[in-house]
Amino acid sequence: MIRKKTLLIISSILTLGIVIFLDISDRGLFYSEYIPVEELSKFYLHENNKNIQQSFKNNFRNPKYQFPRSDIKKIKVFQNILLISRLTSHTIIEKSKLEFILELFNNPDNFDWGETTWSIRESDYIFRFYNDSDEEVGIVWLCLEGCGMTKSKPFCPNMKFGGLSNIGKVRITKLLNRTINR
């Protein structure tokens, strides 16, 4: 009898641990940025910050680096909450909203050259971008409260170093109020 209870408790703990691990992994919180050599040398390997910023500016609106580099058919917006995010996610399929979101993330006016020392674990929202084959082709982690930072995969120079400008914070807040916080 005690063995059965012990096995039940251990299997329950293991199952919960696996579910938590899979949830954290699914939200991309184990993501480690890999920057391809071409992008690394083109954007980051310069002698000073001014030259790095100039390399980003030279590629603003460059179609090669537009986010997410694929046609989008839907976007899922998740709040970054353990085990609950999938249950409270919002799917956006309206063409006008998709275009608004893509414009928002591809407009350098929405971003500043702010510091980048934050972890995607601190993100409040996760935007996942899907193509017509339902494949994830892009992801943006957004830390809005007290942070104002983003991280994208794939990399996009339009987002500068990821810091939102005052204009960008207002636009993101409007977007979230329209789609999530109704």
mmCIF file of all heavy atoms in Angstrom, residues 107-149:
data_model
loop_
_atom_site.group_PDB
_atom_site.id
_atom_site.type_symbol
_atom_site.label_atom_id
_atom_site.label_comp_id
_atom_site.label_asym_id
_atom_site.label_seq_id
_atom_site.Cartn_x
_atom_site.Cartn_y
_atom_site.Cartn_z
ATOM 1 N N ASN A 107 9.095 48.942 -38.059
ATOM 2 C CA ASN A 107 9.285 50.388 -38.123
ATOM 3 C C ASN A 107 10.331 50.819 -37.097
ATOM 4 O O ASN A 107 10.090 50.752 -35.888
ATOM 5 C CB ASN A 107 7.954 51.096 -37.853
ATOM 6 C CG ASN A 107 8.048 52.592 -38.004
ATOM 7 O OD1 ASN A 107 9.127 53.168 -38.021
ATOM 8 N ND2 ASN A 107 6.895 53.225 -38.097
ATOM 9 N N PRO A 108 11.512 51.281 -37.546
ATOM 10 C CA PRO A 108 12.566 51.673 -36.615
ATOM 11 C C PRO A 108 12.175 52.825 -35.693
ATOM 12 O O PRO A 108 12.785 52.993 -34.637
ATOM 13 C CB PRO A 108 13.737 52.079 -37.512
ATOM 14 C CG PRO A 108 13.350 51.790 -38.900
ATOM 15 C CD PRO A 108 11.914 51.411 -38.941
ATOM 16 N N ASP A 109 11.142 53.593 -36.050
ATOM 17 C CA ASP A 109 10.691 54.679 -35.169
ATOM 18 C C ASP A 109 10.131 54.154 -33.853
ATOM 19 O O ASP A 109 10.060 54.894 -32.868
ATOM 20 C CB ASP A 109 9.619 55.529 -35.855
ATOM 21 C CG ASP A 109 10.158 56.279 -37.063
ATOM 22 O OD1 ASP A 109 11.389 56.513 -37.122
ATOM 23 O OD2 ASP A 109 9.350 56.620 -37.947
ATOM 24 N N ASN A 110 9.728 52.892 -33.838
ATOM 25 C CA ASN A 110 9.161 52.289 -32.624
ATOM 26 C C ASN A 110 10.235 51.788 -31.653
ATOM 27 O O ASN A 110 9.900 51.263 -30.600
ATOM 28 C CB ASN A 110 8.219 51.143 -32.995
ATOM 29 C CG ASN A 110 6.992 51.645 -33.726
ATOM 30 O OD1 ASN A 110 6.482 52.712 -33.432
ATOM 31 N ND2 ASN A 110 6.544 50.882 -34.700
ATOM 32 N N PHE A 111 11.504 51.959 -32.026
ATOM 33 C CA PHE A 111 12.591 51.411 -31.220
ATOM 34 C C PHE A 111 13.669 52.454 -30.964
ATOM 35 O O PHE A 111 13.883 53.352 -31.762
ATOM 36 C CB PHE A 111 13.211 50.187 -31.928
ATOM 37 C CG PHE A 111 12.221 49.073 -32.093
ATOM 38 C CD1 PHE A 111 11.428 48.988 -33.228
ATOM 39 C CD2 PHE A 111 12.057 48.123 -31.107
ATOM 40 C CE1 PHE A 111 10.496 47.980 -33.380
ATOM 41 C CE2 PHE A 111 11.116 47.106 -31.243
ATOM 42 C CZ PHE A 111 10.338 47.034 -32.389
ATOM 43 N N ASP A 112 14.339 52.314 -29.833
ATOM 44 C CA ASP A 112 15.476 53.161 -29.464
ATOM 45 C C ASP A 112 16.718 52.291 -29.357
ATOM 46 O O ASP A 112 16.650 51.069 -29.406
ATOM 47 C CB ASP A 112 15.224 53.845 -28.108
ATOM 48 C CG ASP A 112 14.414 55.117 -28.238
ATOM 49 O OD1 ASP A 112 14.458 55.748 -29.303
ATOM 50 O OD2 ASP A 112 13.738 55.474 -27.259
ATOM 51 N N TRP A 113 17.832 52.944 -29.132
ATOM 52 C CA TRP A 113 19.114 52.251 -29.002
ATOM 53 C C TRP A 113 19.391 51.921 -27.530
ATOM 54 O O TRP A 113 20.514 51.898 -27.098
ATOM 55 C CB TRP A 113 20.243 53.111 -29.554
ATOM 56 C CG TRP A 113 20.103 53.403 -31.002
ATOM 57 C CD1 TRP A 113 19.709 54.574 -31.573
ATOM 58 C CD2 TRP A 113 20.341 52.506 -32.087
ATOM 59 N NE1 TRP A 113 19.687 54.466 -32.936
ATOM 60 C CE2 TRP A 113 20.080 53.196 -33.285
ATOM 61 C CE3 TRP A 113 20.750 51.175 -32.163
ATOM 62 C CZ2 TRP A 113 20.209 52.621 -34.539
ATOM 63 C CZ3 TRP A 113 20.879 50.599 -33.421
ATOM 64 C CH2 TRP A 113 20.613 51.313 -34.581
ATOM 65 N N GLY A 114 18.362 51.649 -26.764
ATOM 66 C CA GLY A 114 18.501 51.403 -25.330
ATOM 67 C C GLY A 114 19.300 50.157 -25.003
ATOM 68 O O GLY A 114 19.663 49.359 -25.859
ATOM 69 N N GLU A 115 19.554 50.002 -23.725
ATOM 70 C CA GLU A 115 20.321 48.857 -23.255
ATOM 71 C C GLU A 115 19.590 47.548 -23.518
ATOM 72 O O GLU A 115 18.377 47.540 -23.688
ATOM 73 C CB GLU A 115 20.622 48.993 -21.771
ATOM 74 C CG GLU A 115 19.382 48.880 -20.926
ATOM 75 C CD GLU A 115 19.665 48.291 -19.567
ATOM 76 O OE1 GLU A 115 19.905 47.081 -19.488
ATOM 77 O OE2 GLU A 115 19.627 49.046 -18.607
ATOM 78 N N THR A 116 20.321 46.479 -23.525
ATOM 79 C CA THR A 116 19.731 45.198 -23.890
ATOM 80 C C THR A 116 19.911 44.144 -22.808
ATOM 81 O O THR A 116 19.829 42.965 -23.094
ATOM 82 C CB THR A 116 20.358 44.682 -25.202
ATOM 83 O OG1 THR A 116 21.765 44.561 -25.002
ATOM 84 C CG2 THR A 116 20.058 45.598 -26.353
ATOM 85 N N THR A 117 20.173 44.547 -21.599
ATOM 86 C CA THR A 117 20.431 43.571 -20.540
ATOM 87 C C THR A 117 19.130 43.153 -19.864
ATOM 88 O O THR A 117 18.781 43.636 -18.801
ATOM 89 C CB THR A 117 21.408 44.137 -19.493
ATOM 90 O OG1 THR A 117 20.853 45.360 -19.006
ATOM 91 C CG2 THR A 117 22.772 44.378 -20.085
ATOM 92 N N TRP A 118 18.428 42.290 -20.505
ATOM 93 C CA TRP A 118 17.238 41.681 -19.924
ATOM 94 C C TRP A 118 17.157 40.265 -20.449
ATOM 95 O O TRP A 118 17.762 39.919 -21.463
ATOM 96 C CB TRP A 118 15.978 42.494 -20.244
ATOM 97 C CG TRP A 118 15.499 42.367 -21.659
ATOM 98 C CD1 TRP A 118 16.070 42.913 -22.765
ATOM 99 C CD2 TRP A 118 14.393 41.609 -22.135
ATOM 100 N NE1 TRP A 118 15.372 42.567 -23.884
ATOM 101 C CE2 TRP A 118 14.334 41.774 -23.519
ATOM 102 C CE3 TRP A 118 13.430 40.828 -21.510
ATOM 103 C CZ2 TRP A 118 13.362 41.170 -24.309
ATOM 104 C CZ3 TRP A 118 12.457 40.233 -22.297
ATOM 105 C CH2 TRP A 118 12.423 40.400 -23.671
ATOM 106 N N SER A 119 16.421 39.455 -19.783
ATOM 107 C CA SER A 119 16.265 38.061 -20.177
ATOM 108 C C SER A 119 14.871 37.853 -20.747
ATOM 109 O O SER A 119 13.896 38.438 -20.248
ATOM 110 C CB SER A 119 16.459 37.161 -18.956
ATOM 111 O OG SER A 119 16.031 35.844 -19.228
ATOM 112 N N ILE A 120 14.757 37.017 -21.753
ATOM 113 C CA ILE A 120 13.428 36.757 -22.321
ATOM 114 C C ILE A 120 12.509 36.096 -21.292
ATOM 115 O O ILE A 120 11.299 36.112 -21.459
ATOM 116 C CB ILE A 120 13.498 35.931 -23.623
ATOM 117 C CG1 ILE A 120 14.167 34.594 -23.400
ATOM 118 C CG2 ILE A 120 14.144 36.730 -24.720
ATOM 119 C CD1 ILE A 120 14.139 33.682 -24.607
ATOM 120 N N ARG A 121 13.071 35.574 -20.226
ATOM 121 C CA ARG A 121 12.237 35.039 -19.139
ATOM 122 C C ARG A 121 11.404 36.152 -18.494
ATOM 123 O O ARG A 121 10.391 35.890 -17.872
ATOM 124 C CB ARG A 121 13.109 34.365 -18.097
ATOM 125 C CG ARG A 121 13.646 33.041 -18.554
ATOM 126 C CD ARG A 121 14.489 32.391 -17.463
ATOM 127 N NE ARG A 121 14.903 31.061 -17.838
ATOM 128 C CZ ARG A 121 15.931 30.796 -18.606
ATOM 129 N NH1 ARG A 121 16.658 31.768 -19.089
ATOM 130 N NH2 ARG A 121 16.248 29.556 -18.915
ATOM 131 N N GLU A 122 11.872 37.396 -18.631
ATOM 132 C CA GLU A 122 11.158 38.544 -18.063
ATOM 133 C C GLU A 122 10.038 39.039 -18.980
ATOM 134 O O GLU A 122 9.325 39.976 -18.619
ATOM 135 C CB GLU A 122 12.133 39.701 -17.824
ATOM 136 C CG GLU A 122 13.252 39.395 -16.868
ATOM 137 C CD GLU A 122 14.276 40.516 -16.821
ATOM 138 O OE1 GLU A 122 13.890 41.661 -16.507
ATOM 139 O OE2 GLU A 122 15.445 40.236 -17.116
ATOM 140 N N SER A 123 9.898 38.448 -20.143
ATOM 141 C CA SER A 123 8.904 38.939 -21.096
ATOM 142 C C SER A 123 7.490 38.783 -20.548
ATOM 143 O O SER A 123 7.182 37.847 -19.822
ATOM 144 C CB SER A 123 9.047 38.225 -22.440
ATOM 145 O OG SER A 123 8.839 36.845 -22.289
ATOM 146 N N ASP A 124 6.665 39.749 -20.907
ATOM 147 C CA ASP A 124 5.255 39.722 -20.508
ATOM 148 C C ASP A 124 4.402 39.026 -21.560
ATOM 149 O O ASP A 124 3.399 38.393 -21.236
ATOM 150 C CB ASP A 124 4.731 41.154 -20.318
ATOM 151 C CG ASP A 124 5.489 41.918 -19.252
ATOM 152 O OD1 ASP A 124 5.637 41.381 -18.136
ATOM 153 O OD2 ASP A 124 5.935 43.043 -19.533
ATOM 154 N N TYR A 125 4.802 39.181 -22.821
ATOM 155 C CA TYR A 125 4.036 38.634 -23.942
ATOM 156 C C TYR A 125 4.971 37.961 -24.931
ATOM 157 O O TYR A 125 6.130 38.340 -25.076
ATOM 158 C CB TYR A 125 3.262 39.743 -24.673
ATOM 159 C CG TYR A 125 2.252 40.427 -23.802
ATOM 160 C CD1 TYR A 125 2.561 41.612 -23.147
ATOM 161 C CD2 TYR A 125 0.982 39.878 -23.620
ATOM 162 C CE1 TYR A 125 1.637 42.240 -22.336
ATOM 163 C CE2 TYR A 125 0.053 40.501 -22.804
ATOM 164 C CZ TYR A 125 0.385 41.676 -22.167
ATOM 165 O OH TYR A 125 -0.532 42.285 -21.357
ATOM 166 N N ILE A 126 4.413 36.989 -25.629
ATOM 167 C CA ILE A 126 5.139 36.292 -26.689
ATOM 168 C C ILE A 126 4.246 36.327 -27.930
ATOM 169 O O ILE A 126 3.093 35.899 -27.884
ATOM 170 C CB ILE A 126 5.454 34.839 -26.292
ATOM 171 C CG1 ILE A 126 6.284 34.811 -25.005
ATOM 172 C CG2 ILE A 126 6.164 34.114 -27.435
ATOM 173 C CD1 ILE A 126 6.386 33.445 -24.357
ATOM 174 N N PHE A 127 4.787 36.855 -29.025
ATOM 175 C CA PHE A 127 4.086 36.902 -30.301
ATOM 176 C C PHE A 127 4.694 35.816 -31.185
ATOM 177 O O PHE A 127 5.899 35.835 -31.443
ATOM 178 C CB PHE A 127 4.292 38.250 -30.992
ATOM 179 C CG PHE A 127 3.595 39.400 -30.347
ATOM 180 C CD1 PHE A 127 4.071 39.948 -29.163
ATOM 181 C CD2 PHE A 127 2.463 39.964 -30.933
ATOM 182 C CE1 PHE A 127 3.431 41.021 -28.572
ATOM 183 C CE2 PHE A 127 1.822 41.031 -30.344
ATOM 184 C CZ PHE A 127 2.305 41.564 -29.154
ATOM 185 N N ARG A 128 3.862 34.910 -31.672
ATOM 186 C CA ARG A 128 4.326 33.862 -32.583
ATOM 187 C C ARG A 128 3.684 34.085 -33.942
ATOM 188 O O ARG A 128 2.468 34.240 -34.056
ATOM 189 C CB ARG A 128 3.957 32.483 -32.058
ATOM 190 C CG ARG A 128 4.749 32.114 -30.851
ATOM 191 C CD ARG A 128 4.402 30.733 -30.433
ATOM 192 N NE ARG A 128 5.488 30.213 -29.634
ATOM 193 C CZ ARG A 128 5.414 29.106 -28.943
ATOM 194 N NH1 ARG A 128 4.317 28.383 -28.979
ATOM 195 N NH2 ARG A 128 6.443 28.710 -28.240
ATOM 196 N N PHE A 129 4.511 34.058 -34.976
ATOM 197 C CA PHE A 129 4.090 34.349 -36.344
ATOM 198 C C PHE A 129 4.103 33.055 -37.145
ATOM 199 O O PHE A 129 5.105 32.335 -37.155
ATOM 200 C CB PHE A 129 5.042 35.370 -36.966
ATOM 201 C CG PHE A 129 5.034 36.692 -36.242
ATOM 202 C CD1 PHE A 129 5.718 36.858 -35.045
ATOM 203 C CD2 PHE A 129 4.335 37.765 -36.761
ATOM 204 C CE1 PHE A 129 5.702 38.073 -34.372
ATOM 205 C CE2 PHE A 129 4.304 38.985 -36.097
ATOM 206 C CZ PHE A 129 4.996 39.132 -34.905
ATOM 207 N N TYR A 130 2.980 32.777 -37.844
ATOM 208 C CA TYR A 130 2.821 31.532 -38.585
ATOM 209 C C TYR A 130 2.537 31.814 -40.059
ATOM 210 O O TYR A 130 1.809 32.753 -40.393
ATOM 211 C CB TYR A 130 1.662 30.711 -38.007
ATOM 212 C CG TYR A 130 1.907 30.257 -36.592
ATOM 213 C CD1 TYR A 130 1.547 31.061 -35.512
ATOM 214 C CD2 TYR A 130 2.500 29.038 -36.327
ATOM 215 C CE1 TYR A 130 1.766 30.657 -34.207
ATOM 216 C CE2 TYR A 130 2.727 28.617 -35.024
ATOM 217 C CZ TYR A 130 2.357 29.438 -33.967
ATOM 218 O OH TYR A 130 2.584 29.031 -32.681
ATOM 219 N N ASN A 131 3.081 30.962 -40.924
ATOM 220 C CA ASN A 131 2.809 31.083 -42.354
ATOM 221 C C ASN A 131 1.567 30.280 -42.719
ATOM 222 O O ASN A 131 0.895 29.718 -41.847
ATOM 223 C CB ASN A 131 4.041 30.672 -43.187
ATOM 224 C CG ASN A 131 4.405 29.206 -43.015
ATOM 225 O OD1 ASN A 131 3.638 28.397 -42.492
ATOM 226 N ND2 ASN A 131 5.600 28.855 -43.447
ATOM 227 N N ASP A 132 1.268 30.195 -44.018
ATOM 228 C CA ASP A 132 0.051 29.494 -44.445
ATOM 229 C C ASP A 132 0.132 27.987 -44.251
ATOM 230 O O ASP A 132 -0.878 27.300 -44.318
ATOM 231 C CB ASP A 132 -0.323 29.856 -45.882
ATOM 232 C CG ASP A 132 0.788 29.578 -46.870
ATOM 233 O OD1 ASP A 132 1.902 29.207 -46.456
ATOM 234 O OD2 ASP A 132 0.537 29.748 -48.074
ATOM 235 N N SER A 133 1.330 27.451 -43.997
ATOM 236 C CA SER A 133 1.476 26.021 -43.707
ATOM 237 C C SER A 133 1.424 25.752 -42.203
ATOM 238 O O SER A 133 1.724 24.653 -41.758
ATOM 239 C CB SER A 133 2.810 25.498 -44.254
ATOM 240 O OG SER A 133 2.881 25.671 -45.636
ATOM 241 N N ASP A 134 1.087 26.777 -41.439
ATOM 242 C CA ASP A 134 0.994 26.709 -39.982
ATOM 243 C C ASP A 134 2.346 26.418 -39.316
ATOM 244 O O ASP A 134 2.405 25.840 -38.247
ATOM 245 C CB ASP A 134 -0.053 25.684 -39.541
ATOM 246 C CG ASP A 134 -0.701 26.078 -38.227
ATOM 247 O OD1 ASP A 134 -0.815 27.287 -37.956
ATOM 248 O OD2 ASP A 134 -1.080 25.172 -37.452
ATOM 249 N N GLU A 135 3.414 26.845 -39.980
ATOM 250 C CA GLU A 135 4.761 26.720 -39.415
ATOM 251 C C GLU A 135 5.131 28.034 -38.748
ATOM 252 O O GLU A 135 4.878 29.108 -39.297
ATOM 253 C CB GLU A 135 5.789 26.421 -40.509
ATOM 254 C CG GLU A 135 5.564 25.132 -41.231
ATOM 255 C CD GLU A 135 6.451 25.002 -42.468
ATOM 256 O OE1 GLU A 135 6.681 26.014 -43.155
ATOM 257 O OE2 GLU A 135 6.886 23.886 -42.735
ATOM 258 N N GLU A 136 5.735 27.935 -37.586
ATOM 259 C CA GLU A 136 6.191 29.145 -36.913
ATOM 260 C C GLU A 136 7.399 29.694 -37.664
ATOM 261 O O GLU A 136 8.391 29.014 -37.859
ATOM 262 C CB GLU A 136 6.583 28.831 -35.469
ATOM 263 C CG GLU A 136 6.966 30.064 -34.692
ATOM 264 C CD GLU A 136 7.333 29.754 -33.258
ATOM 265 O OE1 GLU A 136 6.426 29.370 -32.491
ATOM 266 O OE2 GLU A 136 8.528 29.873 -32.920
ATOM 267 N N VAL A 137 7.295 30.966 -38.102
ATOM 268 C CA VAL A 137 8.364 31.582 -38.884
ATOM 269 C C VAL A 137 9.000 32.775 -38.170
ATOM 270 O O VAL A 137 9.952 33.365 -38.684
ATOM 271 C CB VAL A 137 7.874 32.007 -40.284
ATOM 272 C CG1 VAL A 137 7.506 30.781 -41.117
ATOM 273 C CG2 VAL A 137 6.705 32.974 -40.190
ATOM 274 N N GLY A 138 8.471 33.118 -37.015
ATOM 275 C CA GLY A 138 9.031 34.227 -36.256
ATOM 276 C C GLY A 138 8.457 34.266 -34.856
ATOM 277 O O GLY A 138 7.377 33.726 -34.596
ATOM 278 N N ILE A 139 9.210 34.885 -33.965
ATOM 279 C CA ILE A 139 8.754 35.022 -32.589
ATOM 280 C C ILE A 139 9.326 36.322 -32.025
ATOM 281 O O ILE A 139 10.457 36.700 -32.354
ATOM 282 C CB ILE A 139 9.155 33.789 -31.735
ATOM 283 C CG1 ILE A 139 8.535 33.845 -30.337
ATOM 284 C CG2 ILE A 139 10.648 33.640 -31.657
ATOM 285 C CD1 ILE A 139 8.634 32.530 -29.575
ATOM 286 N N VAL A 140 8.512 37.004 -31.251
ATOM 287 C CA VAL A 140 8.959 38.216 -30.558
ATOM 288 C C VAL A 140 8.575 38.062 -29.095
ATOM 289 O O VAL A 140 7.417 37.766 -28.770
ATOM 290 C CB VAL A 140 8.303 39.499 -31.119
ATOM 291 C CG1 VAL A 140 8.647 40.709 -30.257
ATOM 292 C CG2 VAL A 140 8.747 39.744 -32.554
ATOM 293 N N TRP A 141 9.570 38.240 -28.228
ATOM 294 C CA TRP A 141 9.328 38.294 -26.795
ATOM 295 C C TRP A 141 9.259 39.762 -26.428
ATOM 296 O O TRP A 141 10.097 40.558 -26.843
ATOM 297 C CB TRP A 141 10.454 37.622 -26.019
ATOM 298 C CG TRP A 141 10.558 36.160 -26.246
ATOM 299 C CD1 TRP A 141 9.926 35.164 -25.558
ATOM 300 C CD2 TRP A 141 11.373 35.477 -27.219
ATOM 301 N NE1 TRP A 141 10.284 33.933 -26.042
ATOM 302 C CE2 TRP A 141 11.176 34.098 -27.064
ATOM 303 C CE3 TRP A 141 12.247 35.935 -28.213
ATOM 304 C CZ2 TRP A 141 11.828 33.162 -27.859
ATOM 305 C CZ3 TRP A 141 12.887 34.993 -29.004
ATOM 306 C CH2 TRP A 141 12.677 33.622 -28.819
ATOM 307 N N LEU A 142 8.262 40.163 -25.648
ATOM 308 C CA LEU A 142 8.038 41.555 -25.305
ATOM 309 C C LEU A 142 7.972 41.720 -23.790
ATOM 310 O O LEU A 142 7.152 41.091 -23.130
ATOM 311 C CB LEU A 142 6.720 42.036 -25.932
ATOM 312 C CG LEU A 142 6.184 43.388 -25.495
ATOM 313 C CD1 LEU A 142 7.118 44.508 -25.933
ATOM 314 C CD2 LEU A 142 4.793 43.605 -26.056
ATOM 315 N N CYS A 143 8.850 42.545 -23.277
ATOM 316 C CA CYS A 143 8.824 42.925 -21.865
ATOM 317 C C CYS A 143 8.358 44.370 -21.829
ATOM 318 O O CYS A 143 9.099 45.266 -22.213
ATOM 319 C CB CYS A 143 10.222 42.786 -21.252
ATOM 320 S SG CYS A 143 10.334 43.353 -19.554
ATOM 321 N N LEU A 144 7.137 44.594 -21.399
ATOM 322 C CA LEU A 144 6.569 45.933 -21.446
ATOM 323 C C LEU A 144 6.641 46.633 -20.095
ATOM 324 O O LEU A 144 7.119 47.753 -19.995
ATOM 325 C CB LEU A 144 5.117 45.857 -21.926
ATOM 326 C CG LEU A 144 4.465 47.145 -22.353
ATOM 327 C CD1 LEU A 144 5.260 47.844 -23.446
ATOM 328 C CD2 LEU A 144 3.053 46.880 -22.833
ATOM 329 N N GLU A 145 6.194 45.971 -19.060
ATOM 330 C CA GLU A 145 6.111 46.580 -17.735
ATOM 331 C C GLU A 145 7.497 46.858 -17.150
ATOM 332 O O GLU A 145 8.236 45.940 -16.819
ATOM 333 C CB GLU A 145 5.321 45.682 -16.777
ATOM 334 C CG GLU A 145 3.874 45.494 -17.166
ATOM 335 C CD GLU A 145 3.096 46.794 -17.194
ATOM 336 O OE1 GLU A 145 3.293 47.623 -16.290
ATOM 337 O OE2 GLU A 145 2.306 46.973 -18.137
ATOM 338 N N GLY A 146 7.840 48.136 -17.044
ATOM 339 C CA GLY A 146 9.089 48.538 -16.424
ATOM 340 C C GLY A 146 10.333 48.173 -17.198
ATOM 341 O O GLY A 146 11.442 48.296 -16.687
ATOM 342 N N CYS A 147 10.172 47.707 -18.418
ATOM 343 C CA CYS A 147 11.328 47.222 -19.179
ATOM 344 C C CYS A 147 11.363 47.838 -20.572
ATOM 345 O O CYS A 147 12.343 48.430 -20.974
ATOM 346 C CB CYS A 147 11.266 45.700 -19.247
ATOM 347 S SG CYS A 147 12.593 44.897 -20.120
ATOM 348 N N GLY A 148 10.294 47.647 -21.338
ATOM 349 C CA GLY A 148 10.215 48.205 -22.682
ATOM 350 C C GLY A 148 11.209 47.608 -23.657
ATOM 351 O O GLY A 148 11.789 48.320 -24.468
ATOM 352 N N MET A 149 11.392 46.304 -23.588
ATOM 353 C CA MET A 149 12.366 45.628 -24.448
ATOM 354 C C MET A 149 11.695 44.537 -25.276
ATOM 355 O O MET A 149 10.663 43.990 -24.893
ATOM 356 C CB MET A 149 13.475 44.991 -23.606
ATOM 357 C CG MET A 149 14.293 45.968 -22.788
ATOM 358 S SD MET A 149 15.246 47.128 -23.767
ATOM 359 C CE MET A 149 16.368 46.061 -24.623
#
